[in-house]
Structures are given as structure tokens and as C-alpha cells.
Amino acid sequence: MARIAGVNLPTNKRVHIALTYIHGIGRTSAKDIMTKIGHVAKHADDYPRLNEMSEEDLTKVREIIDTDYEVEGDKRRNVSMAIKRLLDMACYRGLRHRKGLPVRGQNCKNNARTRKGPAKAIAGKKK
């Protein structure tokens, strides 16, 4: 298993997918990283698997991630600090975070079960 940014990456997956296991790196960022180290692919099957990559390529990937990207602990800390700032400010978005409701204008009357949690039964509703 390759270890990058403190995360064990699956060796049998293609590199651009394996890199998405790191918090803060998505598909686009992973493809950008691969382009920077010289692996340009027109199709997803053109990327090598992680166990097929050389050690020097993995070292280059580690260096690029360390210098150019905010990942794992730093990313999580900055996101939680941004949310805490909104809560302390008591702005609309902060209040929505505090109540556990959707923050970005989504409908929450009929939807938003992920954010609100399981439905709670209302007493006396049965006929």
C-alpha cells in the first residue's frame, strides 16, 4: 500500500481514483496532479494503477500534494473553523448550521433528510 499524506491508498485502483481517498483531493485535482508529473491521459484507462507507478513518481506526487494542496487535517480544521466563525457571527448561514438545516438555500419542507436526520413521528396524526 502506498501512503500519501497519512492515508493508505488502495494499490489495485488507478492513480487518479486512488488519490481521491485523500480528503481534499477530488477527481479534478487528482488529474491535475497526474498532469504535473507527466502522465497525460485522454481516457481513464490510460492512467496507470498505483502498484504500477515507480517510486520516483510517487515521490513527485507526495511533493506536489505537500506544496500545492491543503489536505486531511489542515483541510478539516479550516472547514470547521469557517463553520465556527459563522456560528459565532450568528449570521443566517450560522443559524442554519446551528439548527442542522440545509445552509445553501435548499428546500427543507419535503426534503433534506440527510441534514435533518430521520423523520420524527408526530403524535395524534393517525386517523
Side-chain angles (χ1 to χ4, degrees):
M1 276 206 163
R3 190 167 175 83
I4 298 175
V7 178
N8 291 330
L9 301 180
T11 54
N12 57 343
K13 293 194 183 277
R14 299 212 180 265
V15 181
H16 70 288
I17 299 298
L19 286 175
T20 62
Y21 280 62
I22 301 170
H23 182 77
I25 295 181
R27 291 253 182 118
T28 306
S29 301
K31 288 179 182 178
D32 290 344
I33 291 169
M34 293 305 294
T35 305
K36 287 179 185 175
I37 66 166
H39 286 276
V40 180
K42 292 182 180 178
H43 194 266
D45 293 337
D46 297 340
Y47 288 109
R49 295 194 181 271
L50 197 62
N51 54 9
E52 297 169 356
M53 286 189 67
S54 65
E55 263 317 304
E56 42 194 59
D57 282 346
L58 288 175
T59 307
K60 288 178 188 175
V61 169
R62 282 189 192 96
E63 289 171 0
I64 289 170
I65 289 174
D66 287 342
T67 57
D68 299 346
Y69 292 91
E70 182 183 55
V71 291
E72 286 301 320
D74 296 335
K75 178 81 171 174
R76 292 178 206 272
R77 183 170 36 275
N78 286 345
V79 168
S80 65
M81 291 299 291
I83 292 172
K84 186 176 182 314
R85 181 181 55 84
L86 292 171
L87 290 170
D88 293 342
M89 226 189 303
C91 63
Y92 181 77
R93 282 174 58 201
L95 296 177
R96 301 293 283 183
H97 273 291
R98 189 175 297 154
K99 291 177 184 175
L101 294 170
V103 177
R104 296 184 175 180
Q106 295 91 336
N107 178 20
C108 68
K109 179 178 179 182
N110 307 321
N111 221 341
R113 274 292 142 217
T114 302
R115 191 80 175 122
K116 289 164 60 174
K120 298 162 192 81
I122 300 171
K125 186 149 185 180
K126 207 180 349 178
K127 282 190 175 181

